[in-house]
Amino acid sequence: MPEVFVRVAVDQPMSALFDYRYTLAAPPVVGMLVQIPFGRREVVGLICEVTHETDVPADKLRAVTSLCDGLSPMSADWIALATFAAEYYQRGLGEVALPGLPQALRDTSRWNRLLAVEPRFRLLPAGRESLPESLPARATALRRLAAVLAAQPSLGLSNARTLHPKAGATLDEWFANGWIELASPDDAPALPATFATTAGALPLPVATDEQRDAVAAISGAQGFASFLLHGVTGSGKTEVYLHALAALLVEKPDAQALVLVPEINLTPQFEAAFRARFSALAKGSIVTMHSGLAEGERARNWLAAHTGAARIVLGTRLAILASMPTLAAIVVDEEHDPAYKQQEGLRYSARDLAIYRAKQLDIPVVLGSATPSLESWWQAERGRYTRLTLTRRAVSEAALPSVRLIDLEEERRHGRASVEGLSGLLIAALKTRLERGEQSLVFLNRRGYAPILSCDACGWVAGCPRCSAYAVLHKLERALRCHYCGWEARIPKSCPDCGNIDIAPMGRGTQRVEETLAAVVPGARVLRIDADSTRRKGRAQALFSDVHAGEVDILVGTQMIAKGHDFRRVTLVGVLNADTALFSHDFRAGERLFAQLTQVSGRAGRAGLPGEVMIQTRYPRHALYQALSRQDYVGFANATLAERRDARLPPFVYQAMLRAEGRTLKAALAFLAEAAAAFAPLPGADRVTVYDAVPLTIVKVFNVHRAQLLLESGSRAALQAALRAWQPALRALRGVLRWNVEVDPLDV
Ligand code: ADP
Ligand code: ZN
Ligand code: ZN
């Protein structure tokens, strides 16, 4: 017998695989998890190769400790996806493959207990009698499956699948015939009793013509196809997803679908819509995946996806790496949302990986948005994505809200009273809504009471001692808080520098607006939703239900209230403080503002009552506001793309960012300078522009100084090749606390 070795990926910041001797009885298979000694610890790794040869000297080789043989192996497709993500985003394979696994799988002591939750089936006497005769003589795989079921007390779904690729549908049928039963009653509630889906069991509301065309295009796709579903707010994009997925799930009884949403807060709304529509599916066949799940639920849902028991996985960006052996379609809702980009560790874009995964599996992918990212819009413009358009709201009486720009300068010139930043026009409109029993929403993207607390006498401003940032005044919490590092202190009673007791808040945050609203719109029930008011688990959900239940007259909040929610009674949206984004030095700020204001405006007038949006601004003639008031995304997108093309900015060039964090700014900049010097001679570097290293806008956070170096190229391949060749040099550099490379950065 030749010796067996396995090459294993481990969660370590390096790309190499590690060789181990394999001496256990159960045969190792690529994609299985193993426990291995690593340094002085035991860790979990993923088998990426099984071989009879190794270059590692025998005395350096260690042996695999144990094999997780109860879990069916990760598929070759999944390993290929993880490998691609690792290479593209400049990380090790293990850093991609392992952190996404549920904690229970990464803890070897829990392997046995965990695997008990896989659905198991047991043959019933009726099946013992009827099953064999029902099978055609030549159906070998089916006969084998039946024989194994008859031979052992119970059979797990993943093992059943290794006997017969369509085992899910087959077991479903046998289950329906009363031939088999679920063998693990204690785990049964979360697991599918049946995977049956029948067209008759899916009552579908009548789609609009536009929705029908979109669904037909998606359902008609053969193999890989990427669709950009551009639908105005309230046009019923969700409905398109539901119809298209229903068609798919009915057609292929084993198929799985992955639906991504940008935010945890949107999963319950989606989950409810999906559960209602796919009521013929057992409870366990629709699962959610996001960071807010309890550990046990997360493991169960992950396993359900991995075994194929879950037909629909609904999740936030991390779900893009879910193991789904029969994945047949992917939906990315609100595809423009920056939340799809992970900002730490593996800095990946779930939207971009969704495209890759669909191409790899030769399946359709749908990107939906009212304001597509300019990257996606450009792909549609040049014909790479098929554009599907919903121009009208789905509910026939509901028109898009009218947008009105309130010129703050003019208000001031005419001496029209405004109170604490709320214009008289907006206040009057809020009062009218209250009288009519309709809801209003006031949006501003700044939480806390006031962004600045300062002393008029000496110019002192409250700052965070650990960051180069102001400390934000939180009146309700009676604290000064740093929004960058979490530092907190009591509000001083007088100026710490000169003793003046007249220190005053400057500017406005959600808390202050909440206070003002309560005063200027007497009798209104005002509710604030932002990161502060929803800190406790489940709190956001409770507050949103209050809004839906009509227990709120005016909802004030940050972008948390802008996204996706289908508020039925909101007829007025007021926007405060939007102007700052107009003059940002980030070239994506305008795109983001347009998307945000479109989203928040889209909350108005969704159920038939006419909606109105009032945007307070000092620059009513700015092109962005003008396009917004015409509801003209297309005009805005094409004009902005033209500017980007002229300025040689993404999506017309590809970017990467090297960021460094040092004890001093000098150390961070020196590191970047050395890194730039090491980059210059690399192959492909001549096709990459390396900019000067610069400090970040907020240069110091938690006493760490941050700087960055931008790289840019007209060729993605050249940039990728150079970045990869750069890695060894970067790893050899010293002098900073941390560094990272981000590919396709969103914040530059
Ligand atoms: P979007 O995601 O495009 O903003 P939604 O999917 O939230 O829009 O749909 C807006 C509203 O229209 C929802 O309340 C939905 O139930 C309703 N709706 C969607 N399609 C239809 C339809 N064909 N007939 C009736 N109502 C619909
Ligand atoms: Zn002072
Ligand atoms: Zn701070």
Side-chain angles (χ1 to χ4, degrees):
M1 279 288 277
E3 265 200 293
V4 179
F5 306 101
V6 289
R7 301 225 149 99
V8 180
V10 293
D11 184 4
Q12 289 293 318
M14 47 188 100
S15 41
L17 300 179
F18 297 89
D19 287 12
Y20 284 84
R21 188 178 282 128
Y22 190 89
T23 55
L24 304 171
V29 175
V30 169
M32 282 180 136
L33 298 180
V34 281
Q35 179 188 354
I36 44 173
F38 192 84
R40 294 198 192 153
R41 295 173 303 144
E42 291 278 317
V43 301
V44 172
L46 175 76
I47 302 181
C48 293
E49 220 180 300
V50 179
T51 167
H52 293 297
E53 280 158 32
T54 177
D55 296 336
V56 181
D59 60 329
K60 292 258 162 60
L61 268 179
R62 300 214 258 171
V64 169
T65 315
S66 66
L67 178 76
C68 185
D69 57 353
L71 183 75
S72 59
M74 308 296 288
S75 70
D77 283 335
W78 188 86
I79 295 177
L81 171 70
T83 304
F84 168 79
E87 284 181 3
Y88 188 79
Y89 295 110
Q90 309 293 320
R91 307 288 290 212
L93 173 55
E95 291 177 287
V96 178
L98 294 161
L101 298 178
Q103 203 48 46
L105 275 177
R106 304 190 65 196
D107 174 358
T108 53
S109 69
R110 283 150 80 184
W111 277 357
N112 287 332
R113 252 181 305 151
L114 174 91
L115 297 172
V117 307
E118 193 200 23
R120 301 189 69 83
F121 296 91
R122 181 188 309 140
L123 194 60
L124 291 167
R128 208 168 279 280
E129 210 166 278
S130 319
L131 184 51
E133 322 168 354
S134 78
L135 300 174
R138 282 206 304 249
T140 12
L142 281 179
R143 290 192 160 274
R144 201 168 51 215
L145 182 58
V148 173
L149 259 175
Q152 45 188 65
S154 70
L155 176 65
L157 182 59
S158 51
N159 283 333
R161 276 177 202 281
T162 63
L163 296 170
H164 183 22
K166 294 243 156 63
T170 304
L171 289 171
D172 175 26
E173 195 186 312
W174 294 353
F175 186 92
N177 291 348
W179 294 343
I180 57 175
E181 68 173 3
L182 228 46
S184 46
D186 38 324
D187 300 314
L191 295 166
T194 168
F195 312 119
T197 346
T198 54
L202 298 171
L204 306 178
V206 185
T208 64
D209 288 352
E210 290 183 330
Q211 285 174 330
R212 204 170 311 137
D213 290 347
V215 172
I218 298 165
S219 312
Q222 300 291 325
F224 171 67
S226 34
F227 296 96
L228 180 61
L229 178 62
H230 175 221
V232 300
T233 54
S235 58
K237 292 183 284 294
T238 314
E239 203 55 39
V240 172
Y241 310 146
L242 288 166
H243 277 261
L245 294 185
L248 178 98
L249 296 175
V250 170
E251 207 173 289
K252 304 187 198 150
D254 259 337
Q256 294 178 295
L258 174 60
V259 180
L260 299 183
V261 294
E263 259 203 59
I264 291 182
N265 289 327
L266 292 172
T267 49
Q269 180 178 318
F270 257 72
E271 195 183 344
F274 275 76
R275 288 206 190 286
R277 184 61 53 84
F278 297 102
S279 55
L281 292 179
K283 185 168 172 283
S285 37
I286 300 179
V287 301
T288 56
M289 249 182 228
H290 54 75
S291 57
L293 291 180
E295 197 46 57
E297 193 174 16
R298 183 150 173 194
R300 261 200 310 280
N301 292 357
W302 188 94
L303 274 180
H306 176 69
T307 58
R311 300 288 305 282
I312 300 174
V313 172
L314 208 63
T316 51
R317 62 169 181 255
L318 56 87
I320 190 59
L321 288 170
S323 160
M324 297 179 70
T326 54
L327 183 60
I330 308 177
V331 169
V332 184
D333 190 37
E334 310 291 5
E335 66 88 28
H336 65 278
D337 199 303
Y340 283 120
K341 184 83 194 248
Q342 168 124 322
Q343 300 290 357
E344 62 205 36
L346 178 74
R347 292 169 165 77
Y348 64 97
S349 155
R351 179 198 60 213
D352 295 350
L353 285 182
I355 300 285
Y356 178 86
R357 199 169 182 182
K359 198 178 288 177
Q360 175 202 30
L361 297 176
D362 204 25
I363 60 171
V365 53
V366 182
L367 309 181
S369 177
T371 51
S373 64
L374 290 181
E375 279 77 8
S376 299
W377 185 252
W378 170 236
Q379 295 297 344
E381 285 286 295
R382 71 206 283 225
R384 296 274 181 90
Y385 297 173
T386 305
R387 182 164 28 215
L388 307 169
T389 312
L390 307 177
T391 58
R392 286 182 299 277
R393 288 198 151 173
V395 178
S396 51
E397 323 80 75
L400 280 176
S402 60
V403 176
R404 178 166 172 190
L405 299 167
I406 299 180
D407 185 343
L408 291 175
E409 278 307 312
E410 194 175 302
E411 291 297 291
R412 197 182 51 82
R413 263 200 314 276
H414 289 85
R416 282 197 281 265
S418 73
V419 184
E420 284 277 344
L422 293 179
S423 67
L425 289 170
L426 180 57
I427 294 172
L430 288 165
K431 284 181 175 159
T432 314
R433 294 318 189 285
L434 179 65
E435 280 156 22
R436 290 199 216 132
E438 296 166 12
Q439 290 176 318
S440 303
L441 196 153
V442 175
F443 167 76
L444 86 162
N445 227 346
R446 190 185 276 155
R447 62 194 171 84
Y449 187 82
I452 296 172
L453 179 66
S454 68
C455 168
D456 260 357
C458 76
W460 169 85
V461 176
C464 172
R466 306 191 293 212
C467 304
S468 51
Y470 295 137
V472 177
L473 176 63
H474 282 249
K475 194 171 172 186
L476 294 174
E477 298 90 342
R478 298 209 185 97
L480 286 170
R481 269 191 192 163
C482 173
H483 286 186
Y484 292 91
C485 74
W487 173 85
E488 195 171 301
R490 300 177 65 125
I491 304 170
K493 295 214 167 23
S494 58
C495 172
D497 280 4
C498 74
N500 171 20
I501 51 165
D502 231 8
I503 50 176
M506 275 167 50
R508 268 167 289 277
T510 44
Q511 291 185 357
R512 193 169 192 179
V513 172
E514 177 188 20
E515 186 183 277
T516 309
L517 284 168
V520 297
V521 191
R525 295 163 299 174
V526 181
L527 176 73
R528 175 173 52 89
I529 296 190
D530 56 25
D532 297 311
S533 73
T534 55
R535 199 143 297 199
R536 262 185 300 129
K537 192 170 150 62
R539 191 73 190 133
Q541 233 23 69
L543 295 183
F544 282 119
S545 343
D546 287 352
V547 182
H548 288 293
E551 283 160 23
V552 174
D553 300 310
I554 303 177
L555 174 62
V556 51
T558 55
Q559 39 83 24
M560 279 187 76
I561 63 173
K563 289 184 190 178
H565 294 280
D566 194 17
F567 299 129
R568 311 310 303 267
R569 303 168 208 232
V570 170
T571 60
L572 174 69
V573 169
V575 176
L576 313 180
N577 271 356
D579 288 345
T580 41
L582 293 178
F583 307 102
S584 164
H585 49 83
D586 182 344
F587 70 89
R588 282 194 180 86
E591 175 184 355
R592 226 171 269 159
L593 179 64
F594 192 94
Q596 221 166 44
L597 295 187
T598 303
Q599 288 300 323
V600 70
S601 304
R603 302 313 110 208
R606 290 170 77 87
L609 296 165
E612 187 176 16
V613 179
M614 291 182 156
I615 301 174
Q616 297 196 163
T617 171
R618 281 177 209 292
Y619 310 93
R621 272 161 297 281
H622 193 285
L624 188 149
Y625 288 137
Q626 287 298 319
L628 199 70
S629 62
R630 293 193 306 270
Q631 325 259 11
D632 184 15
Y633 167 80
V634 177
F636 172 78
N638 290 337
T640 312
L641 270 181
E643 284 169 22
R644 295 252 187 109
R645 189 200 293 269
D646 289 345
R648 309 266 329 128
L649 287 169
F652 302 100
V653 293
Y654 303 96
Q655 294 182 327
M657 189 74 86
L658 173 65
R659 294 201 182 85
E661 303 184 351
R663 290 210 187 283
T664 61
L665 177 59
K666 206 172 139 213
L669 289 171
F671 174 91
L672 295 176
E674 282 184 59
F679 187 84
L682 295 174
D686 52 330
R687 298 178 64 192
V688 178
T689 309
V690 181
Y691 289 86
D692 287 340
V694 291
L696 265 69
T697 317
I698 304 292
V699 58
K700 187 177 76 162
V701 168
F702 219 137
N703 297 321
V704 167
H705 293 76
R706 313 175 308 161
Q708 61 185 20
L709 180 79
L710 177 65
L711 301 103
E712 198 176 85
S713 175
S715 156
R716 179 174 279 176
L719 181 60
Q720 278 282 321
L723 288 177
R724 202 157 309 135
W726 202 18
Q727 288 288 327
L730 288 176
R731 295 218 170 101
L733 286 179
R734 293 284 172 267
V736 289
L737 300 165
R738 272 181 299 275
W739 58 268
N740 66 73
V741 171
E742 180 170 359
V743 180
D744 305 329
L746 281 185
D747 301 303
V748 297

